[in-house]
Amino acid sequence: MGGHFDRFFQQWWGTLYKDFIITGIDGVWNDMNEPAVFNGRGGTMPEDNFHRGGGKLPAGPHLRYHNVYGLLMVKASRDGIMNVNSEKRPFVLSRANFLGGQKYAATWTGDNASTWEHFKMATPMVLNLGLSGQPFSGPDLGGYGGSPDADLFANWIAVGAFYPFCRSHSEKGTNDQEPWAFGKEVENVSRTALQRRYRLLPYLYTLFHEAAQTGLPVMRPVFFADVTDKSLRKEDEAFMWGNDLLIVPQWSEDPQLPEGIWNDISLLGNDVENDGYQPNLKQRGGSIIPVGSVIQSTEEFKTDSLTLLVCLDENNSATGTLYVDKGEGFDYRDGEFEVDIFKAEKTGENTITVKCEVEGKKQTKKQRFYQIGLVTNSGVNYSDWQNNNTVIISTKGSL
C-alpha cells in the first residue's frame, strides 16, 4: 500500500503542471519544499512525522526525509512537465534538494538578506553546492529581505553575473530592485555585467555540458587551478569558471590567486573604462575562450560569429573547446551536436595560427566567422574577421 500511495501522489503532483505548460510557460519554481510548516518546530514537520515511503524508498520518520522531500518533489515536477511536452527541455527551480537532485532542478540559496554579510556569504555557498554535485545554483541578487543601497546592489549584480544561476529577486514590501531604480550609474553597471555574461555564453554553455558529463562544477574554487598550492584552499571570494577564467571581485582584499600566466580581459562587454564595480577577469595561459556577441536574451544566442580569446602559455600554445547543440529538445542524445577543438601555436616570428577542428559524433562542415583576440599582459590584440577554420594573427608589438 505504501508503494502504491507514493506513486499515486507523485503522479498526481505531476498532473498539476499541465494547465500551466500548455500556455507556453517555460519552467516552474518550487518554493517552500523543505517542506516548510510555519508553526511547526524548526519550521517543518515534527521529526517523528511518519512518511509511508514506497517504490525503492522505505518508510521512515521526517528526520530522515526532510531533505529528500525536495528531491522527490522536483523529480515529480520534471516528470509532469515532460508528460505534457516531451519535446522541450524542462526547467525546474527549487529551494530544497538532495544528492542526485541536480538531474531534475536548479537550486537557489534561499531567502537571503540585503546585507554585505549575506552578499559575501553567497560565493562560498555556491562553491560548496558545486562541490556537492549541484552545478546550477545561485543566490537572490541584491538580497530577498530588505532593500539594498545602490553601492551594494551594483557590487552584487557585477559579481552575480558570474553565478551559474543569475537573477535578482526581492520580497513584497521592499524598495524597487530593478537596476534602473538605483539611478543611471547602477543601470550602466548592470548592463555591463549582463553583457559580459551574454558574451561568455558559448563558454558557459560548454561548461554546463562538461558538468553534465563529468560532474565537475561550473563555478569552481581557485584551488582547482593548483590542488598542490595549500594557500588557495581557504580562498572564498575569488572563484573560477571552469579551468580557464578567474573572477576576482573589486572588493576582495588580498585574495589568494593561483600562480602562472593569468592575463586580464576585464573590459569584456564594456567599450569604456572599467566602472569600478566589475570584477577583474583573468584568463589562464594556454587557454582559448570562445566569446559571442552582445545579445538581449538567450533567444538570440548564436555561434555563427565567434571571438576566440587566445592566451598563450610559456610554450606559445593554447587550446580550447566549444560545445554546440540546438539548445532545445533532446536530439543531442542521438548525436545532434558538435564539439569544436581550437588549437593555437606560434608559427612564425610574428605570427600565431589558430585552427578549428570539429570532433564528436556529428561532423559538420559549417564555417564560422572568427575573430582572434590575442590576450597578453599588456592588453588584447584583435585580428580582422575571417570565415576560415584557420586564422593567422600577427603578434608584432603584442608579446
Side-chain angles (χ1 to χ4, degrees):
M1 181 177 178
H4 172 74
F5 179 85
D6 175 76
R7 288 192 296 272
F8 171 81
F9 181 77
Q10 290 193 34
Q11 291 170 1
W12 168 79
W13 180 261
T15 64
L16 301 181
Y17 293 98
K18 180 179 179 180
D19 291 341
F20 293 100
I21 300 304
I22 61 176
T23 66
I25 288 174
D26 291 316
V28 298
W29 173 8
N30 287 348
D31 200 354
M32 309 299 293
N33 54 342
E34 286 76 18
V37 180
F38 285 142
N39 61 353
R41 183 177 180 182
T44 187
M45 297 178 181
E47 292 181 354
D48 59 353
N49 191 82
F50 188 73
H51 291 269
R52 292 174 179 264
K56 296 181 180 180
L57 294 174
H62 184 68
L63 181 63
R64 181 176 187 177
Y65 283 116
H66 175 77
N67 292 329
V68 177
Y69 193 96
L71 164 65
L72 298 177
M73 177 184 279
V74 295
K75 182 181 184 303
S77 300
R78 187 183 191 279
D79 290 345
I81 295 171
M82 287 292 294
N83 287 336
V84 178
N85 189 351
S86 62
E87 300 301 316
K88 192 171 184 178
R89 301 180 193 178
F91 176 77
V92 181
L93 179 65
S94 178
R95 192 168 83 176
N97 216 326
F98 193 68
L99 293 175
Q102 72 275 4
K103 295 185 294 184
Y104 312 116
T107 301
W108 96 102
T109 59
D111 296 344
N112 56 358
S114 299
T115 65
W116 273 90
E117 179 185 14
H118 277 204
F119 168 44
K120 292 186 177 182
M121 287 171 58
T123 293
M125 290 178 72
V126 176
L127 290 174
N128 277 296
L129 280 167
L131 293 174
S132 301
Q134 177 67 59
F136 199 178
S137 68
D140 287 340
L141 305 186
Y144 173 76
S147 300
D149 59 24
D151 184 61
L152 176 56
F153 184 85
N155 275 284
W156 211 321
I157 197 167
V159 173
F162 294 95
Y163 292 131
F165 178 67
C166 171
R167 70 156 185 189
S168 175
H169 180 53
S170 60
E171 69 176 336
K172 183 179 179 180
T174 60
N175 294 341
D176 291 346
Q177 202 161 289
E178 292 82 6
W180 52 87
F182 298 94
K184 194 66 176 179
E185 180 184 8
V186 176
E187 182 180 355
N188 289 336
V189 168
S190 304
R191 180 181 294 109
T192 297
L194 296 178
Q195 286 180 353
R196 283 173 146 195
R197 183 180 179 90
Y198 277 129
R199 289 206 66 194
L200 284 164
L201 276 183
Y203 180 62
L204 180 60
Y205 197 67
T206 301
L207 292 179
F208 268 104
H209 174 255
E210 180 184 32
Q213 297 297 308
T214 69
L216 283 170
V218 172
M219 180 173 158
R220 303 174 186 176
V222 295
F223 71 74
F224 268 51
D226 184 359
V227 295
T228 66
D229 186 349
K230 295 183 179 180
S231 69
L232 301 177
R233 298 183 184 182
K234 292 185 178 181
E235 176 57 45
D236 59 4
E237 294 178 345
F239 56 91
M240 297 171 63
W241 265 16
N243 290 327
D244 300 331
L245 186 61
L246 181 63
I247 296 99
V248 186
Q250 291 281 355
W251 46 265
S252 182
E253 297 181 5
D254 193 28
Q256 298 298 309
L257 304 180
E259 296 182 354
I261 299 173
W262 292 91
N263 288 333
D264 189 85
I265 56 171
S266 292
L267 292 182
L268 179 70
N270 185 9
D271 295 329
V272 296
E273 294 183 4
N274 197 303
D275 54 34
Y277 287 100
Q278 309 302 330
N280 293 317
L281 305 184
K282 297 180 180 295
Q283 183 174 344
R284 182 182 63 82
S287 68
I288 299 176
I289 294 179
V291 176
S293 303
V294 173
I295 55 178
Q296 299 302 308
S297 79
T298 54
E299 289 290 324
E300 300 176 12
F301 178 69
K302 297 179 180 179
T303 59
D304 54 356
S305 298
L306 292 173
T307 297
L308 302 180
L309 296 178
V310 177
C311 186
L312 300 174
D313 61 16
E314 60 275 5
N315 297 316
N316 288 318
S317 64
T319 60
T321 304
L322 172 71
Y323 171 82
V324 181
D325 62 22
K326 294 180 180 179
E328 187 58 275
F330 299 93
D331 288 345
Y332 67 89
R333 294 175 177 173
D334 298 320
E336 291 295 316
F337 66 88
E338 65 176 85
V339 178
D340 294 7
I341 307 298
F342 306 113
K343 298 179 180 179
E345 61 180 350
K346 189 173 183 179
T347 53
E349 183 178 354
N350 295 313
T351 58
I352 297 292
T353 300
V354 182
K355 295 182 178 180
C356 171
E357 300 175 357
V358 179
E359 299 182 356
K361 294 183 179 180
K362 182 182 180 182
Q363 300 290 324
T364 66
K365 297 182 179 179
K366 180 176 63 176
Q367 288 186 326
R368 293 188 177 89
F369 285 89
Y370 289 111
Q371 178 192 47
I372 306 302
L374 184 60
V375 182
T376 72
N377 57 12
S378 58
V380 184
N381 178 32
Y382 291 98
S383 72
D384 295 330
W385 286 94
Q386 301 181 36
N387 64 344
N388 299 311
N389 286 347
T390 298
V391 181
I392 298 176
I393 182 173
S394 172
T395 64
K396 192 172 183 180
S398 298
L399 298 178

